[in-house]
Amino acid sequence: MLLNISAPAIANPVATLINESLATGYIPKLWKTARVIPSHKSGDSTLVSNYRPISLLPVMSKVLEKCVYTQLRDYYQYWNYLTPDQSGFRQIHSTTTALLKVCNDIQAGMEQGNLTGAIFLDFAKAFDTVDHGILLQKLKNSGIGDRTLTWFQSYVSDRSQYVSISGSSSLPLPVTCGVPQGSILGPLLFTIFINDLPNVCKASTVHMYADDTVIYTSKPNLPQLEAVLQEQFTEVEKWIKHIKLFLNTDKTVTMLFGTAPKPHKLQNPHLCVETKSNGPLTTVTSLKYLGMWLDPNLSFGPHIEKLSSKLYPKLGALYRNKSCLSPAVRNQIVQQMLMPAIDYGDVVYAAVPQTHLQKLTTLYNSFCCFALQCNYMTHHCDMLKELNWPSLRSKHTLHLSSLVF
C-alpha cells in the first residue's frame, strides 16, 4: 500500500535499482533475508512439527522478483518448455483441472474393463530441499544464458532467515538449499526443477500439482499392472536420488481402481510395489488427493459423506449462536464459510449417482434454512427465491460451463 501511494515519487529510483540488479547480476543481501513466523496447524502446540513456517520477504525484493518472473514465465510459455503434466502455478490450471485429468483417465480405464494402479508420491519438504547447483544446471539446460544465470546464482546464494515470535527474534541462519519460501519466483523455479519427471515414466502417466505427484497406468490384470508400476517406481527412485530430493516412503501409498465387481474378484486386491530400502508401499482403499477423497470405484460417495460430516457440525454450532447473528451476517457466513466446501471440485463428481448428489442438495437446503431462519418444512424453491440463490444443480452447471470456457 505504501509503495502504491508513493509510486509517483519512487517509481524511477526503484526502476533504476531493478535494472541495475539485472545488469550486474547482483541482489542486495538485505533483500534475501526472510522473517519466519510460525503458524500453528493442529495438534499439540508445544511440538515444533505442528507449526507451518510463514516466510516474509522484503517488499522491494518481491517487486524485483515479479519483473523476473514475468519474463521467465513468458520465455517458457513461448518455447512450450513446461510439461503439460504439471497443473501447479500455471495459468488456467488448478487443483480442479488436475483432479479432472487424473479421474478422467482412471474412469477411461474402467470403461475398457481395466484395472488402474496409482502411486501417490509424498516428497519430504520438497521446496526446502532443492539443490541450488542442480537447479542452476536445469535453468542452463533450458536455454537460460550465462548473464541471466549469474543473476539466479546471486538470487539463490547468500540467503538467510530468522524466526520472529511474540516480539522476539532469533539470530539469522544461512539458507543453503531450497527455493525461497514466500517468494514469487520460488514456485516457478520448483516447477522447472521437477519438470523432467514425466520423461522418467514412459510406460505410465504422471500428473503433478506442485509436488503432489501421482503415477498411474491401466492394465487388464493385476500381475501386468504390478510389473509396470514396479519398473516405473524403480526409475522414479533413481531420479529422486539423482536430483537429491527425499521421498517419504511411509506416506507414499498405492491405490487400486476398477469397476465395483473387478477388485472384488481378486484374491488379494492390493498392489505390491517395493521400495529399495523400506519394503513394500502401503495400499490404501481411501485417500485424500488435492482436497478430494478418492475411493476404488471413483463413486465419490465417501467424499460426499465426509463433506457432510464436516459441515453439519459447523452448521449446528452456528445454529446455537443464531441469536447473535443478523440476517446479513448469516447470509455472509454461509456464502463465505460453508458454500466453498460444496463448490470445490463439484465438476469432478458431477456425473455421480443422484443418490449421492441428493445428500448435498439436502445440506444446501439446510444452509438456506439457517440463512433465513425459517421452518425446515419450507419448500426449497421458496427459500432460494427469497435469497436470490441458484439451485445446487444450476451452480454445478455454471461451474462446468466456466471451466469449459
Side-chain angles (χ1 to χ4, degrees):
M1 179 63 73
L2 181 61
L3 286 179
N4 288 336
I5 295 171
S6 58
I10 68 170
N12 286 336
V14 168
T16 301
L17 282 172
I18 290 172
N19 286 331
E20 192 67 18
S21 172
L22 297 175
T24 61
Y26 175 77
I27 304 174
K29 181 174 172 55
L30 192 62
W31 289 9
K32 298 187 287 185
T33 301
R35 180 163 69 101
V36 179
I37 299 175
S39 175
H40 184 243
K41 294 186 291 186
S42 61
D44 188 351
S45 60
T46 62
L47 295 177
V48 176
S49 58
N50 289 335
Y51 286 82
R52 178 183 291 108
I54 307 297
S55 294
L56 303 177
L57 291 166
V59 176
M60 284 304 303
S61 72
K62 291 195 171 185
V63 175
L64 171 61
E65 284 190 51
K66 183 65 176 179
C67 296
V68 176
Y69 170 83
T70 303
Q71 295 184 52
L72 191 65
R73 180 201 63 199
D74 292 347
Y75 168 78
Y76 285 125
Q77 285 182 349
Y78 178 80
W79 291 106
N80 199 25
Y81 178 78
L82 297 179
T83 173
D85 298 317
Q86 171 66 265
S87 291
F89 315 118
R90 301 184 67 188
Q91 290 179 323
I92 66 169
H93 288 73
S94 64
T95 53
T96 299
T97 61
L99 281 163
L100 274 172
K101 162 65 176 170
V102 173
C103 292
N104 183 70
D105 288 349
I106 294 172
Q107 286 167 336
M110 289 181 183
E111 290 172 3
Q112 294 172 5
N114 291 337
L115 289 167
T116 300
I119 304 173
F120 295 86
L121 304 181
D122 186 276
F123 293 103
K125 300 188 180 298
F127 281 70
D128 296 328
T129 53
V130 169
D131 183 272
H132 292 163
I134 296 175
L135 173 61
L136 292 170
Q137 185 60 49
K138 285 177 179 281
L139 287 169
K140 184 176 182 178
N141 294 343
S142 67
I144 301 298
D146 291 341
R147 184 174 169 182
T148 308
L149 277 176
T150 301
W151 187 91
F152 279 107
Q153 173 72 52
S154 176
Y155 176 76
V156 297
S157 63
D158 206 20
R159 303 193 76 94
S160 61
Q161 63 183 18
Y162 65 93
V163 178
S164 177
I165 184 169
S166 302
S168 300
S169 299
S170 68
L171 293 173
L173 288 174
V175 179
T176 57
C177 62
V179 293
Q181 294 281 1
S183 65
I184 293 173
L185 270 172
L188 179 56
L189 292 177
F190 181 79
T191 300
I192 296 164
F193 190 74
I194 64 170
N195 188 60
D196 58 338
L197 174 56
N199 298 334
V200 178
C201 302
K202 298 186 183 297
S204 60
T205 304
V206 176
H207 203 80
M208 302 175 282
Y209 186 88
D211 62 326
D212 283 311
T213 304
V214 56
I215 303 166
Y216 57 94
T217 190
S218 296
K219 294 295 176 184
N221 57 66
L222 190 58
Q224 284 184 332
L225 193 59
E226 288 181 335
V228 172
L229 285 177
Q230 182 63 68
E231 178 191 355
Q232 298 294 280
F233 185 68
T234 301
E235 292 301 314
V236 169
E237 282 191 298
K238 292 177 184 176
W239 176 84
I240 290 171
K241 184 178 180 181
H242 176 69
I243 67 168
K244 300 181 181 179
L245 285 180
F246 300 94
L247 190 67
N248 189 340
T249 52
D250 291 333
K251 293 184 179 179
T252 296
V253 298
T254 64
M255 194 167 179
L256 187 63
F257 298 92
T259 53
K262 193 105 180 176
H264 287 64
K265 289 181 180 178
L266 301 172
Q267 291 182 347
N268 183 25
H270 292 279
L271 282 168
C272 184
V273 179
E274 297 276 345
T275 66
K276 281 188 176 180
S277 58
N278 205 33
L281 295 175
T282 303
T283 297
V284 297
T285 55
S286 179
L287 177 75
K288 192 175 186 180
Y289 174 62
L290 299 179
M292 187 162 287
W293 286 93
L294 305 182
D295 59 280
N297 312 127
L298 283 192
S299 69
F300 295 102
H303 173 74
I304 293 172
E305 288 288 348
K306 288 178 183 292
L307 197 58
S308 300
S309 63
K310 173 186 173 183
L311 291 177
Y312 273 121
K314 289 185 178 181
L315 189 61
L318 290 170
Y319 261 111
R320 290 191 290 274
N321 295 278
K322 63 183 179 181
S323 59
C324 309
L325 306 172
S326 67
V329 170
R330 289 198 303 270
N331 192 316
Q332 191 173 14
I333 286 174
V334 171
Q335 294 279 17
Q336 296 184 5
M337 293 180 61
L338 301 179
M339 277 310 302
I342 288 184
D343 290 341
Y344 175 71
D346 57 359
V347 296
V348 180
Y349 56 81
V352 302
Q354 189 59 37
T355 51
H356 293 321
L357 293 179
Q358 184 57 42
K359 294 177 182 178
L360 289 182
T361 302
T362 303
L363 182 59
Y364 185 51
N365 293 341
S366 298
F367 293 168
C368 296
C369 278
F370 169 73
L372 290 172
Q373 290 295 287
C374 60
N375 190 291
Y376 73 94
M377 294 296 290
T378 306
H379 198 276
H380 67 275
C381 291
D382 297 331
M383 292 190 292
L384 293 175
K385 185 175 180 181
E386 172 128 4
L387 289 166
N388 195 27
W389 289 1
S391 67
L392 200 58
R393 181 183 291 275
S394 298
K395 285 170 71 72
H396 289 174
T397 303
L398 176 62
H399 295 158
L400 184 57
S401 302
S402 299
L403 182 75
V404 171
F405 176 78

